mmCIF file of all heavy atoms in Angstrom:
data_model
loop_
_atom_site.group_PDB
_atom_site.id
_atom_site.type_symbol
_atom_site.label_atom_id
_atom_site.label_comp_id
_atom_site.label_asym_id
_atom_site.label_seq_id
_atom_site.Cartn_x
_atom_site.Cartn_y
_atom_site.Cartn_z
ATOM 1 N N GLY A 1 24.988 1.913 8.724
ATOM 2 C CA GLY A 1 25.153 3.339 8.454
ATOM 3 C C GLY A 1 26.408 3.927 9.070
ATOM 4 O O GLY A 1 27.321 3.196 9.457
ATOM 5 N N HIS A 2 26.443 5.238 9.165
ATOM 6 C CA HIS A 2 27.620 5.923 9.702
ATOM 7 C C HIS A 2 27.174 6.930 10.760
ATOM 8 O O HIS A 2 26.027 7.385 10.755
ATOM 9 C CB HIS A 2 28.378 6.638 8.579
ATOM 10 C CG HIS A 2 29.703 7.203 9.006
ATOM 11 N ND1 HIS A 2 29.893 8.539 9.292
ATOM 12 C CD2 HIS A 2 30.901 6.598 9.212
ATOM 13 C CE1 HIS A 2 31.151 8.742 9.641
ATOM 14 N NE2 HIS A 2 31.782 7.584 9.615
ATOM 15 N N LEU A 3 28.078 7.287 11.652
ATOM 16 C CA LEU A 3 27.776 8.275 12.692
ATOM 17 C C LEU A 3 27.158 9.533 12.121
ATOM 18 O O LEU A 3 26.220 10.106 12.682
ATOM 19 C CB LEU A 3 29.056 8.641 13.451
ATOM 20 C CG LEU A 3 29.583 7.658 14.498
ATOM 21 C CD1 LEU A 3 30.974 8.082 14.940
ATOM 22 C CD2 LEU A 3 28.639 7.585 15.689
ATOM 23 N N THR A 4 27.678 9.981 10.983
ATOM 24 C CA THR A 4 27.227 11.236 10.387
ATOM 25 C C THR A 4 25.935 11.092 9.597
ATOM 26 O O THR A 4 25.522 12.026 8.911
ATOM 27 C CB THR A 4 28.322 11.821 9.481
ATOM 28 O OG1 THR A 4 28.686 10.833 8.511
ATOM 29 C CG2 THR A 4 29.535 12.226 10.281
ATOM 30 N N HIS A 5 25.309 9.929 9.675
ATOM 31 C CA HIS A 5 24.026 9.724 8.994
ATOM 32 C C HIS A 5 22.864 9.818 9.972
ATOM 33 O O HIS A 5 21.758 9.377 9.658
ATOM 34 C CB HIS A 5 24.004 8.360 8.284
ATOM 35 C CG HIS A 5 25.045 8.221 7.223
ATOM 36 N ND1 HIS A 5 25.235 7.048 6.503
ATOM 37 C CD2 HIS A 5 25.972 9.090 6.746
ATOM 38 C CE1 HIS A 5 26.224 7.212 5.636
ATOM 39 N NE2 HIS A 5 26.683 8.453 5.772
ATOM 40 N N GLY A 6 23.150 10.347 11.182
ATOM 41 C CA GLY A 6 22.055 10.599 12.091
ATOM 42 C C GLY A 6 22.199 10.106 13.502
ATOM 43 O O GLY A 6 21.238 10.118 14.275
ATOM 44 N N HIS A 7 23.390 9.650 13.889
ATOM 45 C CA HIS A 7 23.553 9.170 15.264
ATOM 46 C C HIS A 7 23.324 10.327 16.238
ATOM 47 O O HIS A 7 23.819 11.444 16.029
ATOM 48 C CB HIS A 7 24.953 8.586 15.467
ATOM 49 C CG HIS A 7 25.105 7.842 16.747
ATOM 50 N ND1 HIS A 7 25.360 8.464 17.940
ATOM 51 C CD2 HIS A 7 25.013 6.511 17.035
ATOM 52 C CE1 HIS A 7 25.436 7.563 18.903
ATOM 53 N NE2 HIS A 7 25.217 6.369 18.375
ATOM 54 N N PRO A 8 22.587 10.082 17.330
ATOM 55 C CA PRO A 8 22.236 11.175 18.254
ATOM 56 C C PRO A 8 23.415 11.877 18.905
ATOM 57 O O PRO A 8 23.293 13.029 19.331
ATOM 58 C CB PRO A 8 21.355 10.481 19.308
ATOM 59 C CG PRO A 8 21.632 9.016 19.165
ATOM 60 C CD PRO A 8 21.958 8.808 17.728
ATOM 61 N N LEU A 9 24.566 11.224 19.011
ATOM 62 C CA LEU A 9 25.732 11.855 19.615
ATOM 63 C C LEU A 9 26.562 12.653 18.607
ATOM 64 O O LEU A 9 27.519 13.325 18.976
ATOM 65 C CB LEU A 9 26.621 10.803 20.290
ATOM 66 C CG LEU A 9 25.988 10.033 21.457
ATOM 67 C CD1 LEU A 9 26.970 9.010 22.010
ATOM 68 C CD2 LEU A 9 25.536 10.992 22.553
ATOM 69 N N ASN A 10 26.186 12.568 17.337
ATOM 70 C CA ASN A 10 26.902 13.251 16.267
ATOM 71 C C ASN A 10 26.184 14.556 15.904
ATOM 72 O O ASN A 10 25.016 14.744 16.248
ATOM 73 C CB ASN A 10 26.979 12.309 15.053
ATOM 74 C CG ASN A 10 27.778 12.880 13.906
ATOM 75 O OD1 ASN A 10 27.203 13.358 12.928
ATOM 76 N ND2 ASN A 10 29.090 12.845 14.016
ATOM 77 N N PHE A 11 26.867 15.457 15.193
ATOM 78 C CA PHE A 11 26.230 16.706 14.763
ATOM 79 C C PHE A 11 24.942 16.419 13.998
ATOM 80 O O PHE A 11 23.945 17.138 14.111
ATOM 81 C CB PHE A 11 27.185 17.535 13.881
ATOM 82 C CG PHE A 11 27.239 17.082 12.442
ATOM 83 C CD1 PHE A 11 26.332 17.551 11.504
ATOM 84 C CD2 PHE A 11 28.190 16.161 12.014
ATOM 85 C CE1 PHE A 11 26.369 17.129 10.178
ATOM 86 C CE2 PHE A 11 28.237 15.727 10.704
ATOM 87 C CZ PHE A 11 27.316 16.214 9.782
ATOM 88 N N SER A 12 24.953 15.343 13.198
ATOM 89 C CA SER A 12 23.800 15.026 12.356
ATOM 90 C C SER A 12 22.565 14.715 13.187
ATOM 91 O O SER A 12 21.444 15.131 12.839
ATOM 92 C CB SER A 12 24.128 13.842 11.435
ATOM 93 O OG SER A 12 24.596 12.726 12.188
ATOM 94 N N GLY A 13 22.764 13.985 14.282
ATOM 95 C CA GLY A 13 21.643 13.634 15.137
ATOM 96 C C GLY A 13 21.239 14.723 16.104
ATOM 97 O O GLY A 13 20.085 14.772 16.554
ATOM 98 N N SER A 14 22.165 15.609 16.442
ATOM 99 C CA SER A 14 21.856 16.666 17.407
ATOM 100 C C SER A 14 21.297 17.921 16.747
ATOM 101 O O SER A 14 20.555 18.679 17.375
ATOM 102 C CB SER A 14 23.110 17.024 18.222
ATOM 103 O OG SER A 14 24.136 17.527 17.390
ATOM 104 N N LEU A 15 21.620 18.150 15.485
ATOM 105 C CA LEU A 15 21.158 19.367 14.804
ATOM 106 C C LEU A 15 19.970 19.132 13.880
ATOM 107 O O LEU A 15 19.299 20.079 13.478
ATOM 108 C CB LEU A 15 22.300 19.977 13.984
ATOM 109 C CG LEU A 15 23.521 20.468 14.766
ATOM 110 C CD1 LEU A 15 24.572 21.021 13.809
ATOM 111 C CD2 LEU A 15 23.130 21.522 15.787
ATOM 112 N N TYR A 16 19.723 17.862 13.532
ATOM 113 C CA TYR A 16 18.657 17.563 12.574
ATOM 114 C C TYR A 16 17.698 16.533 13.164
ATOM 115 O O TYR A 16 18.046 15.779 14.072
ATOM 116 C CB TYR A 16 19.261 17.055 11.258
ATOM 117 C CG TYR A 16 20.202 18.063 10.629
ATOM 118 C CD1 TYR A 16 21.558 18.079 10.955
ATOM 119 C CD2 TYR A 16 19.729 19.019 9.739
ATOM 120 C CE1 TYR A 16 22.424 19.032 10.411
ATOM 121 C CE2 TYR A 16 20.588 19.971 9.189
ATOM 122 C CZ TYR A 16 21.933 19.969 9.532
ATOM 123 O OH TYR A 16 22.766 20.906 8.990
ATOM 124 N N ASN A 17 16.494 16.507 12.638
ATOM 125 C CA ASN A 17 15.462 15.572 13.072
ATOM 126 C C ASN A 17 15.621 14.288 12.258
ATOM 127 O O ASN A 17 15.277 14.254 11.073
ATOM 128 C CB ASN A 17 14.080 16.202 12.864
ATOM 129 C CG ASN A 17 12.955 15.297 13.303
ATOM 130 O OD1 ASN A 17 13.178 14.256 13.913
ATOM 131 N ND2 ASN A 17 11.733 15.685 12.980
ATOM 132 N N ILE A 18 16.145 13.242 12.882
ATOM 133 C CA ILE A 18 16.539 12.032 12.151
ATOM 134 C C ILE A 18 15.501 10.921 12.260
ATOM 135 O O ILE A 18 14.988 10.624 13.335
ATOM 136 C CB ILE A 18 17.890 11.500 12.667
ATOM 137 C CG1 ILE A 18 18.981 12.573 12.520
ATOM 138 C CG2 ILE A 18 18.284 10.215 11.942
ATOM 139 C CD1 ILE A 18 19.316 12.966 11.090
ATOM 140 N N VAL A 19 15.197 10.328 11.116
ATOM 141 C CA VAL A 19 14.465 9.067 11.075
ATOM 142 C C VAL A 19 15.358 8.060 10.363
ATOM 143 O O VAL A 19 16.102 8.422 9.445
ATOM 144 C CB VAL A 19 13.107 9.192 10.357
ATOM 145 C CG1 VAL A 19 12.154 10.034 11.161
ATOM 146 C CG2 VAL A 19 13.272 9.744 8.949
ATOM 147 N N SER A 20 15.315 6.811 10.797
ATOM 148 C CA SER A 20 16.240 5.810 10.269
ATOM 149 C C SER A 20 15.524 4.727 9.477
ATOM 150 O O SER A 20 14.345 4.441 9.703
ATOM 151 C CB SER A 20 17.024 5.158 11.414
ATOM 152 O OG SER A 20 17.820 6.093 12.087
ATOM 153 N N TYR A 21 16.256 4.135 8.552
ATOM 154 C CA TYR A 21 15.792 2.919 7.887
ATOM 155 C C TYR A 21 16.777 1.806 8.206
ATOM 156 O O TYR A 21 17.940 2.063 8.555
ATOM 157 C CB TYR A 21 15.628 3.119 6.379
ATOM 158 C CG TYR A 21 16.881 3.497 5.613
ATOM 159 C CD1 TYR A 21 17.711 2.529 5.046
ATOM 160 C CD2 TYR A 21 17.232 4.837 5.426
ATOM 161 C CE1 TYR A 21 18.842 2.873 4.326
ATOM 162 C CE2 TYR A 21 18.358 5.195 4.709
ATOM 163 C CZ TYR A 21 19.160 4.210 4.160
ATOM 164 O OH TYR A 21 20.290 4.555 3.458
ATOM 165 N N GLN A 22 16.305 0.566 8.130
ATOM 166 C CA GLN A 22 17.111 -0.586 8.490
ATOM 167 C C GLN A 22 17.122 -1.605 7.361
ATOM 168 O O GLN A 22 16.468 -1.421 6.332
ATOM 169 C CB GLN A 22 16.556 -1.227 9.775
ATOM 170 C CG GLN A 22 16.536 -0.298 10.980
ATOM 171 C CD GLN A 22 16.014 -0.972 12.231
ATOM 172 O OE1 GLN A 22 15.287 -1.961 12.173
ATOM 173 N NE2 GLN A 22 16.383 -0.438 13.397
ATOM 174 N N VAL A 23 17.881 -2.680 7.568
ATOM 175 C CA VAL A 23 17.880 -3.774 6.609
ATOM 176 C C VAL A 23 16.772 -4.757 6.967
ATOM 177 O O VAL A 23 16.234 -4.746 8.079
ATOM 178 C CB VAL A 23 19.238 -4.503 6.568
ATOM 179 C CG1 VAL A 23 20.340 -3.555 6.110
ATOM 180 C CG2 VAL A 23 19.582 -5.116 7.932
ATOM 181 N N SER A 24 16.448 -5.611 6.035
ATOM 182 C CA SER A 24 15.418 -6.616 6.259
ATOM 183 C C SER A 24 15.909 -7.681 7.233
ATOM 184 O O SER A 24 17.046 -8.152 7.115
ATOM 185 C CB SER A 24 15.041 -7.292 4.932
ATOM 186 O OG SER A 24 14.341 -8.501 5.151
ATOM 187 N N PRO A 25 15.086 -8.107 8.191
ATOM 188 C CA PRO A 25 15.493 -9.176 9.110
ATOM 189 C C PRO A 25 15.623 -10.526 8.418
ATOM 190 O O PRO A 25 16.201 -11.462 8.983
ATOM 191 C CB PRO A 25 14.370 -9.189 10.150
ATOM 192 C CG PRO A 25 13.195 -8.597 9.462
ATOM 193 C CD PRO A 25 13.749 -7.582 8.511
ATOM 194 N N LYS A 26 15.100 -10.648 7.207
ATOM 195 C CA LYS A 26 15.193 -11.906 6.461
ATOM 196 C C LYS A 26 16.462 -11.979 5.613
ATOM 197 O O LYS A 26 17.169 -12.983 5.599
ATOM 198 C CB LYS A 26 13.963 -12.083 5.571
ATOM 199 C CG LYS A 26 12.653 -12.261 6.340
ATOM 200 C CD LYS A 26 11.490 -12.439 5.372
ATOM 201 C CE LYS A 26 10.180 -12.627 6.133
ATOM 202 N NZ LYS A 26 9.022 -12.786 5.201
ATOM 203 N N THR A 27 16.760 -10.893 4.895
ATOM 204 C CA THR A 27 17.899 -10.903 3.968
ATOM 205 C C THR A 27 19.105 -10.129 4.481
ATOM 206 O O THR A 27 20.199 -10.283 3.945
ATOM 207 C CB THR A 27 17.480 -10.279 2.630
ATOM 208 O OG1 THR A 27 17.146 -8.890 2.842
ATOM 209 C CG2 THR A 27 16.287 -11.007 2.034
ATOM 210 N N TYR A 28 18.892 -9.285 5.484
ATOM 211 C CA TYR A 28 19.937 -8.379 5.989
ATOM 212 C C TYR A 28 20.423 -7.425 4.898
ATOM 213 O O TYR A 28 21.541 -6.947 4.934
ATOM 214 C CB TYR A 28 21.091 -9.160 6.613
ATOM 215 C CG TYR A 28 20.726 -9.777 7.939
ATOM 216 C CD1 TYR A 28 20.137 -11.045 7.998
ATOM 217 C CD2 TYR A 28 20.911 -9.091 9.130
ATOM 218 C CE1 TYR A 28 19.766 -11.608 9.212
ATOM 219 C CE2 TYR A 28 20.540 -9.647 10.348
ATOM 220 C CZ TYR A 28 19.966 -10.894 10.385
ATOM 221 O OH TYR A 28 19.590 -11.438 11.585
ATOM 222 N N GLN A 29 19.552 -7.180 3.932
ATOM 223 C CA GLN A 29 19.817 -6.199 2.888
ATOM 224 C C GLN A 29 18.710 -5.140 2.910
ATOM 225 O O GLN A 29 17.655 -5.339 3.519
ATOM 226 C CB GLN A 29 19.883 -6.877 1.519
ATOM 227 C CG GLN A 29 21.020 -7.895 1.412
ATOM 228 C CD GLN A 29 21.188 -8.438 0.003
ATOM 229 O OE1 GLN A 29 21.108 -7.694 -0.972
ATOM 230 N NE2 GLN A 29 21.435 -9.736 -0.103
ATOM 231 N N ILE A 30 18.969 -4.012 2.240
ATOM 232 C CA ILE A 30 17.988 -2.927 2.216
ATOM 233 C C ILE A 30 16.707 -3.400 1.545
ATOM 234 O O ILE A 30 16.732 -3.953 0.439
ATOM 235 C CB ILE A 30 18.549 -1.702 1.472
ATOM 236 C CG1 ILE A 30 19.762 -1.127 2.207
ATOM 237 C CG2 ILE A 30 17.474 -0.625 1.322
ATOM 238 C CD1 ILE A 30 20.508 -0.060 1.418
ATOM 239 N N ASP A 31 15.581 -3.189 2.216
ATOM 240 C CA ASP A 31 14.263 -3.470 1.656
ATOM 241 C C ASP A 31 13.730 -2.139 1.119
ATOM 242 O O ASP A 31 13.290 -1.276 1.880
ATOM 243 C CB ASP A 31 13.332 -4.038 2.739
ATOM 244 C CG ASP A 31 11.956 -4.413 2.208
ATOM 245 O OD1 ASP A 31 11.506 -3.786 1.221
ATOM 246 O OD2 ASP A 31 11.324 -5.315 2.784
ATOM 247 N N TYR A 32 13.777 -1.962 -0.213
ATOM 248 C CA TYR A 32 13.431 -0.667 -0.794
ATOM 249 C C TYR A 32 11.942 -0.353 -0.689
ATOM 250 O O TYR A 32 11.560 0.826 -0.652
ATOM 251 C CB TYR A 32 13.902 -0.608 -2.247
ATOM 252 C CG TYR A 32 15.417 -0.593 -2.350
ATOM 253 C CD1 TYR A 32 16.135 -1.783 -2.526
ATOM 254 C CD2 TYR A 32 16.128 0.588 -2.221
ATOM 255 C CE1 TYR A 32 17.519 -1.772 -2.589
ATOM 256 C CE2 TYR A 32 17.517 0.610 -2.281
ATOM 257 C CZ TYR A 32 18.216 -0.583 -2.466
ATOM 258 O OH TYR A 32 19.585 -0.580 -2.515
ATOM 259 N N ASP A 33 11.103 -1.381 -0.598
ATOM 260 C CA ASP A 33 9.677 -1.143 -0.394
ATOM 261 C C ASP A 33 9.435 -0.578 1.002
ATOM 262 O O ASP A 33 8.651 0.375 1.176
ATOM 263 C CB ASP A 33 8.886 -2.447 -0.580
ATOM 264 C CG ASP A 33 8.865 -2.914 -2.023
ATOM 265 O OD1 ASP A 33 8.967 -2.050 -2.923
ATOM 266 O OD2 ASP A 33 8.764 -4.144 -2.261
ATOM 267 N N GLU A 34 10.101 -1.139 1.997
ATOM 268 C CA GLU A 34 9.961 -0.635 3.357
ATOM 269 C C GLU A 34 10.565 0.765 3.469
ATOM 270 O O GLU A 34 10.015 1.645 4.144
ATOM 271 C CB GLU A 34 10.636 -1.576 4.352
ATOM 272 C CG GLU A 34 10.467 -1.131 5.800
ATOM 273 C CD GLU A 34 11.164 -2.038 6.796
ATOM 274 O OE1 GLU A 34 12.208 -2.626 6.439
ATOM 275 O OE2 GLU A 34 10.675 -2.136 7.935
ATOM 276 N N LEU A 35 11.698 0.965 2.791
ATOM 277 C CA LEU A 35 12.328 2.286 2.800
ATOM 278 C C LEU A 35 11.357 3.333 2.246
ATOM 279 O O LEU A 35 11.206 4.426 2.808
ATOM 280 C CB LEU A 35 13.609 2.238 1.954
ATOM 281 C CG LEU A 35 14.570 3.427 2.037
ATOM 282 C CD1 LEU A 35 15.993 2.966 1.747
ATOM 283 C CD2 LEU A 35 14.196 4.520 1.051
ATOM 284 N N ARG A 36 10.676 2.978 1.155
ATOM 285 C CA ARG A 36 9.709 3.897 0.562
ATOM 286 C C ARG A 36 8.567 4.182 1.528
ATOM 287 O O ARG A 36 8.120 5.331 1.656
ATOM 288 C CB ARG A 36 9.160 3.313 -0.741
ATOM 289 C CG ARG A 36 8.102 4.189 -1.396
ATOM 290 C CD ARG A 36 7.434 3.521 -2.583
ATOM 291 N NE ARG A 36 6.292 4.322 -3.022
ATOM 292 C CZ ARG A 36 5.079 4.257 -2.476
ATOM 293 N NH1 ARG A 36 4.844 3.416 -1.463
ATOM 294 N NH2 ARG A 36 4.106 5.024 -2.919
ATOM 295 N N GLU A 37 8.076 3.149 2.209
ATOM 296 C CA GLU A 37 6.967 3.328 3.155
ATOM 297 C C GLU A 37 7.345 4.321 4.259
ATOM 298 O O GLU A 37 6.548 5.194 4.617
ATOM 299 C CB GLU A 37 6.585 1.984 3.777
ATOM 300 C CG GLU A 37 5.872 1.040 2.818
ATOM 301 C CD GLU A 37 5.556 -0.296 3.470
ATOM 302 O OE1 GLU A 37 5.713 -0.412 4.708
ATOM 303 O OE2 GLU A 37 5.175 -1.231 2.740
ATOM 304 N N ILE A 38 8.554 4.176 4.776
ATOM 305 C CA ILE A 38 9.015 5.089 5.827
ATOM 306 C C ILE A 38 9.124 6.507 5.278
ATOM 307 O O ILE A 38 8.702 7.478 5.913
ATOM 308 C CB ILE A 38 10.377 4.629 6.394
ATOM 309 C CG1 ILE A 38 10.258 3.245 7.035
ATOM 310 C CG2 ILE A 38 10.903 5.639 7.416
ATOM 311 C CD1 ILE A 38 11.594 2.634 7.414
ATOM 312 N N ALA A 39 9.686 6.623 4.081
ATOM 313 C CA ALA A 39 9.880 7.945 3.475
ATOM 314 C C ALA A 39 8.546 8.641 3.211
ATOM 315 O O ALA A 39 8.393 9.841 3.462
ATOM 316 C CB ALA A 39 10.682 7.814 2.190
ATOM 317 N N VAL A 40 7.585 7.899 2.682
ATOM 318 C CA VAL A 40 6.267 8.472 2.387
ATOM 319 C C VAL A 40 5.583 8.892 3.678
ATOM 320 O O VAL A 40 4.929 9.945 3.746
ATOM 321 C CB VAL A 40 5.404 7.465 1.604
ATOM 322 C CG1 VAL A 40 3.955 7.949 1.518
ATOM 323 C CG2 VAL A 40 5.970 7.260 0.197
ATOM 324 N N ARG A 41 5.733 8.101 4.727
ATOM 325 C CA ARG A 41 5.109 8.422 6.012
ATOM 326 C C ARG A 41 5.779 9.612 6.697
ATOM 327 O O ARG A 41 5.122 10.515 7.212
ATOM 328 C CB ARG A 41 5.167 7.192 6.925
ATOM 329 C CG ARG A 41 4.511 7.410 8.284
ATOM 330 C CD ARG A 41 4.537 6.153 9.126
ATOM 331 N NE ARG A 41 5.875 5.787 9.561
ATOM 332 C CZ ARG A 41 6.509 4.681 9.176
ATOM 333 N NH1 ARG A 41 5.936 3.830 8.337
ATOM 334 N NH2 ARG A 41 7.723 4.419 9.619
ATOM 335 N N GLU A 42 7.120 9.635 6.694
ATOM 336 C CA GLU A 42 7.872 10.644 7.448
ATOM 337 C C GLU A 42 8.162 11.914 6.656
ATOM 338 O O GLU A 42 8.382 12.975 7.231
ATOM 339 C CB GLU A 42 9.197 10.040 7.941
ATOM 340 C CG GLU A 42 9.034 8.873 8.906
ATOM 341 C CD GLU A 42 8.509 9.320 10.258
ATOM 342 O OE1 GLU A 42 8.584 10.531 10.569
ATOM 343 O OE2 GLU A 42 8.034 8.453 11.010
ATOM 344 N N LYS A 43 8.202 11.784 5.334
ATOM 345 C CA LYS A 43 8.472 12.924 4.440
ATOM 346 C C LYS A 43 9.711 13.729 4.853
ATOM 347 O O LYS A 43 9.638 14.932 5.138
ATOM 348 C CB LYS A 43 7.263 13.840 4.351
ATOM 349 C CG LYS A 43 6.082 13.181 3.646
ATOM 350 C CD LYS A 43 4.912 14.116 3.522
ATOM 351 C CE LYS A 43 3.835 13.517 2.638
ATOM 352 N NZ LYS A 43 3.391 12.158 3.073
ATOM 353 N N PRO A 44 10.893 13.095 4.858
ATOM 354 C CA PRO A 44 12.129 13.825 5.173
ATOM 355 C C PRO A 44 12.489 14.803 4.064
ATOM 356 O O PRO A 44 12.108 14.597 2.907
ATOM 357 C CB PRO A 44 13.171 12.709 5.288
ATOM 358 C CG PRO A 44 12.662 11.636 4.371
ATOM 359 C CD PRO A 44 11.161 11.678 4.532
ATOM 360 N N ARG A 45 13.240 15.846 4.413
ATOM 361 C CA ARG A 45 13.718 16.793 3.402
ATOM 362 C C ARG A 45 14.894 16.220 2.628
ATOM 363 O O ARG A 45 15.180 16.654 1.512
ATOM 364 C CB ARG A 45 14.147 18.107 4.087
ATOM 365 C CG ARG A 45 13.001 18.948 4.614
ATOM 366 C CD ARG A 45 12.260 19.674 3.496
ATOM 367 N NE ARG A 45 13.143 20.463 2.667
ATOM 368 C CZ ARG A 45 13.571 21.693 2.966
ATOM 369 N NH1 ARG A 45 13.205 22.260 4.101
ATOM 370 N NH2 ARG A 45 14.353 22.352 2.132
#
């Protein structure tokens, strides 16, 4: 990701409530099923 996508030292992380998604430990690529699970659980705006 990028600093402006939610890093705590950046405006994005200090002004907004950030939850993060990661890549799969197996493929090192985005796991869209896991991304969906996080989104459904956290319900970001």
Side-chain angles (χ1 to χ4, degrees):
H2 188 259
L3 282 170
T4 55
H5 298 177
H7 191 278
L9 297 179
N10 184 258
F11 81 87
S12 54
S14 62
L15 297 179
Y16 301 89
N17 181 9
I18 302 295
V19 292
S20 297
Y21 61 91
Q22 300 181 337
V23 297
S24 163
K26 294 180 180 179
T27 64
Y28 288 88
Q29 298 187 42
I30 296 171
D31 183 331
Y32 292 94
D33 290 332
E34 183 182 31
L35 191 152
R36 178 188 171 276
E37 288 178 10
I38 298 171
V40 170
R41 181 177 69 245
E42 297 290 342
K43 293 182 171 54
R45 288 285 306 278

